[in-house]
Amino acid sequence: MKSSLKKSLFVGLAALGFVAAAGSVNASAKSYAKVTSNQALTTNATSRNVNVNGTNALYTKAGTLKGAKVKATTTTLAGLKDSKLGKDNFRAYRVATTNRGSVYYKIVSFNGQYRGWIYGGKSTSAFAGGIASYATTQDANDAKADGKTAYKLASTSTTENTTLFAQPAWSQYKVGRAKAANGSVISSTAAYKDATFTLNKAVTTSREGETWYQIGSTNADLNGAYVKASDVVAATPAETPIAQNQVGIKFIDADTGKQVGSTLVKTNNSYLTVSAPSFVNSLGLSTQLPTGYTDANVSTGINGLTDSQTNANKLAISNAQYGNTVNYYVKNIGTANYFKNSSTAFMFKSSKDADYTADNKLNKDALSFNTVKDQSLSSVVSALSSDANTVGANGGSVSLSAINAALKAQGADSFYIIQVVGGPYVTSLNDLSKLDSTQALYIQKLDFNSTDFAKNAAPISNTQNTDGSFKIDTSKGINLPYSLSTRQVTAGALKSTSTTVSDVATAFANSTETIN
């Protein structure tokens, strides 16, 4: 009996041990994720420039898939994060999601050395996880990029082109040397040895910290190409021959002693009867100075000429002779921002309004909800006053495209504000959070109307030049026109200290009570 019982216990325990062992094997078997979506990214290529951060490795496939192998370790990628070489920038070009809700991006370094899949968070709306969006260049405020001063290449080559690029070197994936007007890649620069051009824009590469300029030129091969700051030199203006019935005026920077711009040559067919000094005095030189310069004396209250410089100008004019040039001192009055004047106003017109009126101005205490930064409109004005897009010579001009760029950069191209029905504008998220959930609100959507701005008709009257550009005049405020749409909602989910522009936009879109 005992022997039988022992055998039964032994068999039973053995069977339990087998089951336990089998369960252990099943529990340790690794399960792998599966890809539920894999597609190419189609957004603008420059918006898909990214940087690695070293928190996730680079794999041959999504890291949680069976068979995924490491192509670059977290240590390697952490080293690339702060690289000072543009070739270590990355471009994302595919996105995959798994059945576990993870997002993976396929990326490639600009030099092609690293290519693979990297964890990108849990949403496809923004790069996260092991990568983040990355601006490979930053706009730079550089006095050389004034669009006027003549420059030339510092050196050229008959055998290679290491100077002219379609974009700053290594700042965009697979964008290299500039192309000529016929579409061929510029392979040597000898043909441009004597070419002169202006510098229209300056940027700094984020990794190397090098300044690059975009060229402006009548030569179609050069126009729009980028050149590194170290590869350009100022072009010496060619001496203009002065005829016997002409007087030349050279404008000399009072601080540097160098000529500004080209020589102004004026002709007088009555030179035999009118003296050269009288002729020069009749020219009204103060109205023909290079942009950003003045010949006014410091005593007028501006950063002007000293008494000795003013007297030197008078003496030069009194000694003027036909067939010769006069050196005339001018003072650089510096740069300024188109939006420098703090009285910039946000004017609006709804579909029910015939036109803008002086009374239709937004309260600048109102909180602006936008895709850049939620802040008061007065803070938006302050941000615009330092935006690099609209900086130019004091008294110079900016283009409409530059104005549009500045507004977009500061979230002033399109935004929302909220007003309590029958009450004040919401000026802070704290104000919003204190409202009753049933409180009726107006959400007002404002979109900058560049067409009306360009019409330059009162009260949207901003000093416009004949070429369509706008004069930088810091003595005047800017009236910005906006198209207004208003819808009524209840405070509801908006009454929070963490309300975002996305929340406001959704409430606006879902409202069935259109006011205008």
Side-chain angles (χ1 to χ4, degrees):
M1 180 71 176
K2 289 182 179 179
S3 176
S4 175
L5 179 59
K6 286 180 179 180
K7 287 181 178 179
S8 297
L9 287 171
F10 177 79
V11 172
L13 290 171
L16 286 172
F18 175 78
V19 172
S24 176
V25 170
N26 290 335
S28 64
K30 186 172 183 179
S31 61
Y32 294 95
K34 295 182 179 180
V35 171
T36 57
S37 173
N38 184 336
Q39 54 190 347
L41 293 171
T42 58
T43 53
N44 185 281
T46 59
S47 70
R48 295 187 273 111
N49 292 334
V50 296
N51 194 11
V52 293
N53 54 37
T55 61
N56 296 88
L58 191 68
Y59 291 89
T60 54
K61 58 178 74 175
T64 52
L65 297 181
K66 186 176 182 179
K69 297 180 180 179
V70 174
K71 296 195 72 175
T73 65
T74 54
T75 301
T76 297
L77 297 186
L80 295 176
K81 173 188 174 184
D82 298 318
S83 168
K84 299 303 181 184
L85 300 174
K87 66 183 181 65
D88 294 326
N89 291 319
F90 281 81
R91 169 72 55 78
Y93 63 99
R94 292 194 73 84
V95 61
T97 55
T98 71
N99 59 341
R100 296 177 180 175
S102 295
V103 175
Y104 286 83
Y105 290 97
K106 193 167 190 182
I107 61 175
V108 60
S109 59
F110 280 16
N111 66 348
Q113 182 177 355
Y114 300 97
R115 184 190 297 270
W117 292 86
I118 192 166
Y119 177 66
K122 294 288 187 179
S123 171
T124 58
S125 62
F127 297 118
I131 57 174
S133 292
Y134 188 68
T136 57
T137 62
Q138 308 287 337
D139 286 341
N141 184 11
D142 191 303
K144 288 184 178 179
D146 60 7
K148 300 188 298 291
T149 307
Y151 291 88
K152 60 185 296 185
L153 297 178
S155 63
T156 57
S157 170
T158 59
T159 59
E160 61 181 356
N161 170 22
T162 59
T163 306
L164 301 170
F165 289 80
Q167 293 289 329
W170 298 111
S171 67
Q172 296 301 331
Y173 182 56
K174 286 191 174 181
V175 178
R177 291 173 297 174
K179 292 183 178 180
N182 63 8
S184 64
V185 173
I186 297 175
S187 57
S188 69
T189 54
Y192 315 108
K193 178 181 179 181
D194 298 317
T196 60
F197 47 80
T198 59
L199 307 176
N200 292 350
K201 179 182 179 180
V203 298
T204 302
T205 52
S206 300
R207 292 193 183 275
E208 296 91 344
E210 294 174 335
T211 298
W212 288 73
Y213 300 117
Q214 186 176 42
I215 290 173
S217 175
T218 55
N219 185 320
D221 290 357
L222 296 177
N223 191 46
Y226 278 85
V227 61
K228 194 158 47 175
S230 57
D231 289 330
V232 297
V233 293
T236 304
E239 286 295 326
T240 305
I242 308 299
Q244 288 303 309
N245 61 344
Q246 295 177 324
V247 176
I249 312 295
K250 286 186 177 180
F251 296 109
I252 307 300
D253 188 303
D255 295 319
T256 67
K258 297 180 179 179
Q259 181 175 352
V260 182
S262 57
T263 302
L264 177 69
V265 178
K266 291 295 182 178
T267 303
N268 182 16
N269 291 326
S270 302
Y271 72 100
L272 294 176
T273 56
V274 177
S275 70
S278 297
F279 173 59
V280 174
N281 273 321
S282 71
L283 295 176
L285 291 182
S286 296
T287 65
Q288 301 182 62
L289 305 179
T291 301
Y293 285 82
T294 182
D295 64 351
N297 189 271
V298 67
S299 63
T300 60
I302 67 168
N303 181 28
L305 300 175
T306 64
D307 288 342
S308 62
Q309 290 164 345
T310 297
N311 290 332
N313 282 348
K314 292 177 180 178
L315 181 61
I317 292 175
S318 68
N319 291 330
Q321 297 179 358
Y322 289 112
N324 288 319
T325 59
V326 170
N327 287 344
Y328 192 82
Y329 286 113
V330 290
K331 180 77 173 182
N332 188 336
I333 54 179
T335 60
N337 194 297
Y338 181 70
F339 289 108
K340 185 65 176 178
N341 193 300
S342 61
S343 61
T344 294
F346 299 86
M347 309 191 73
F348 61 86
K349 179 181 71 173
S350 72
S351 59
K352 296 180 180 179
D353 296 321
D355 207 342
Y356 302 92
T357 66
D359 294 330
N360 283 2
K361 291 183 180 180
L362 295 178
N363 185 331
K364 284 198 244 182
D365 291 331
L367 178 63
S368 165
F369 292 88
N370 60 76
T371 56
V372 177
K373 182 180 180 181
D374 297 338
Q375 57 185 341
S376 68
L377 290 177
S378 59
S379 295
V380 173
V381 171
S382 178
L384 285 171
S385 70
S386 59
D387 189 278
N389 287 290
T390 44
V391 172
N394 199 348
S397 62
V398 294
S399 65
L400 181 58
S401 62
I403 293 170
N404 279 320
L407 294 174
K408 185 179 177 88
Q410 303 305 330
D413 58 331
S414 181
F415 58 91
Y416 299 87
I417 58 175
I418 298 176
Q419 182 181 15
V420 174
V421 173
Y425 283 98
V426 170
T427 59
S428 70
L429 290 176
N430 191 45
D431 288 349
L432 198 56
S433 68
K434 293 178 181 179
L435 296 176
D436 187 89
S437 295
T438 60
Q439 174 64 57
L441 302 174
Y442 289 139
I443 299 180
Q444 298 175 340
K445 184 175 187 294
L446 286 304
D447 294 297
F448 179 65
N449 194 321
S450 60
T451 301
D452 285 350
F453 185 83
K455 286 180 181 177
N456 203 39
I460 313 299
S461 297
N462 306 303
T463 307
Q464 188 173 14
N465 301 317
T466 55
D467 63 357
S469 62
F470 293 83
K471 184 178 180 181
I472 298 176
D473 185 351
T474 58
S475 68
K476 296 180 179 180
I478 309 300
N479 291 331
L480 299 171
Y482 288 83
S483 298
L484 169 73
S485 300
T486 305
R487 295 185 184 178
Q488 185 170 322
V489 301
T490 54
L494 292 179
K495 61 178 303 295
S496 168
T497 56
S498 58
T499 297
T500 66
V501 62
S502 179
D503 299 324
V504 178
T506 299
F508 180 88
N510 292 338
S511 173
T512 58
E513 297 185 63
T514 300
I515 307 304
N516 54 49

